[in-house]
Amino acid sequence: MTPGGVLVGVDGSLGSVDALRWAIRHTSEFGPVRPVIIWDYPLRDLLPPPLGPSEPPTIEEMEARALDGARPALDEAGATDHADVEEPLILRGEAGPVLVEAAAEAALLVVGTRSRGPVRSNMIGSVGRHCADSATVPMVVVPHLGDEAPPSDDGPYQVVVGVDGSDNAQRALEWAVRNAPADAEITAVTTWQTPVDLPFALTDNRFDVRVLRADATQRVNEAADKACAQADAPADRVLREITEGDPRWVLLSRSEAVDLLVLGRRGRTGLPHFFLGSTTTALIHRPRCPIAVVPG
């Protein structure tokens, strides 16, 4: 692997077509695109006769099958005619771990979602979830949007970053400032919520609505100022937004009208399903726009 660039998992699905298209549109920010096609022997090919074939297919035959299966997706995404798309990398193994290992020196890993049933329901799937949990580089989950036009077709490229005062969210905001298109509009969004027991704690200023708003304002301003300073960008490079509500629902609502949602990934503490954090987990499973997950 050449260090840098974008690694895109391609399996022939509509989701991988959209992932590949997204990566091709962003070569100016992240570098050339390398499609990755992963294969492994089906169980039946490894069984002894008469349950399995008398002679299993060779590795070369399996690689050719994998490439043939992915070629329609490559053609539909325009990868075969694009100067910034490199030759596909064909690897054997379990898709999630292989993608994570292959992307170790890439600038970005991109995967698509699955579209299930007649009513579209984009879900990240087990491969994408493994990558989101384990990738050592930033990862973008691209939903299958069908014929829907990206929001930026009608205005500046919109990037929203969830900010909660954590180091992980700070890294996500700094990544967005460094990597978003030069003309992009970046908005740091933080939320505040009135505690459920507010009526029983009116004498405690920790539950004063004015204090909660002031804390949220300070949190987003400090995060934005630090991110701009780290990227040597002007302080007004990042817009600041404070909203009342559950961060999952606030960011879900914002994601319906933006081009990219950027989230931080929590450190690996606790059980595996807590790796991403509840907000990031809730949003990536049914994304409404491409979502970047930035590791710690």
Side-chain angles (χ1 to χ4, degrees):
M1 285 298 301
T2 302
V6 184
L7 224 66
V8 184
V10 177
D11 60 4
S13 66
L14 293 174
S16 66
V17 171
D18 286 321
L20 197 50
R21 284 174 175 162
W22 188 93
I24 292 172
R25 288 199 299 269
H26 292 274
T27 53
S28 60
E29 293 99 309
F30 301 108
V33 174
R34 188 79 182 268
V36 180
I37 302 166
I38 299 172
W39 66 274
D40 207 349
Y41 281 107
L43 178 60
R44 64 178 181 275
D45 286 345
L46 300 177
L47 294 174
L51 299 177
S54 56
E55 188 172 330
T58 65
I59 290 177
E60 290 75 15
E61 289 172 333
M62 293 298 295
E63 289 180 344
R65 290 182 191 177
L67 181 59
D68 288 343
R71 197 174 296 281
L74 297 171
D75 293 339
E76 187 173 347
T80 52
D81 301 322
H82 202 286
D84 288 323
V85 178
E86 300 175 350
E87 286 294 316
L89 184 64
I90 304 175
L91 301 173
R92 177 186 176 184
E94 187 179 351
V98 169
L99 280 174
V100 168
E101 183 178 358
E105 295 187 8
L108 194 66
L109 172 62
V110 181
V111 300
T113 56
R114 296 182 178 183
S115 183
R116 300 184 177 181
V119 177
R120 194 181 71 225
S121 175
N122 291 310
M123 300 187 71
I124 190 174
S126 58
V127 173
R129 177 55 195 262
H130 178 88
C131 293
D133 273 336
S134 305
T136 57
V137 301
M139 168 194 165
V140 174
V141 180
V142 181
H144 174 55
L145 299 176
D147 297 328
E148 299 175 20
S152 59
D153 283 1
D154 300 322
Y157 192 85
Q158 299 282 335
V159 179
V160 164
V161 186
V163 174
D164 61 5
S166 68
D167 290 341
N168 303 290
Q170 186 65 42
R171 293 187 189 97
L173 183 56
E174 292 173 7
W175 180 88
V177 174
R178 293 180 185 278
N179 293 283
D183 59 347
E185 187 174 281
I186 304 172
T187 304
V189 176
T190 195
T191 66
W192 63 275
Q193 292 177 271
T194 303
V196 176
D197 57 349
L198 177 61
F200 305 100
L202 293 177
T203 59
D204 190 336
N205 67 359
R206 291 178 302 167
F207 299 98
D208 189 315
V209 169
R210 292 168 297 180
V211 174
L212 296 173
R213 287 175 180 160
D215 287 346
T217 301
Q218 181 179 353
R219 180 166 61 245
V220 73
N221 284 334
E222 288 180 351
D225 290 343
K226 182 178 178 181
C228 292
Q230 290 285 348
D232 198 21
D236 61 358
R237 180 72 177 99
V238 177
L239 303 176
R240 298 105 194 271
E241 182 178 310
I242 301 97
T243 304
E244 180 183 7
D246 186 304
R248 291 167 294 186
W249 296 112
V250 170
L251 292 173
L252 179 64
S253 175
R254 293 291 274 110
S255 70
E256 294 180 348
V258 302
D259 296 278
L260 182 66
L261 177 63
V262 183
L263 304 169
R265 186 179 76 196
R266 290 183 182 271
R268 296 191 170 201
T269 56
L271 298 175
H273 63 278
F274 290 127
F275 282 179
L276 291 175
S278 59
T279 299
T280 302
T281 298
L283 291 166
I284 67 168
H285 273 291
R286 281 190 173 86
R288 307 288 181 86
C289 73
I291 297 180
V293 179
V294 180

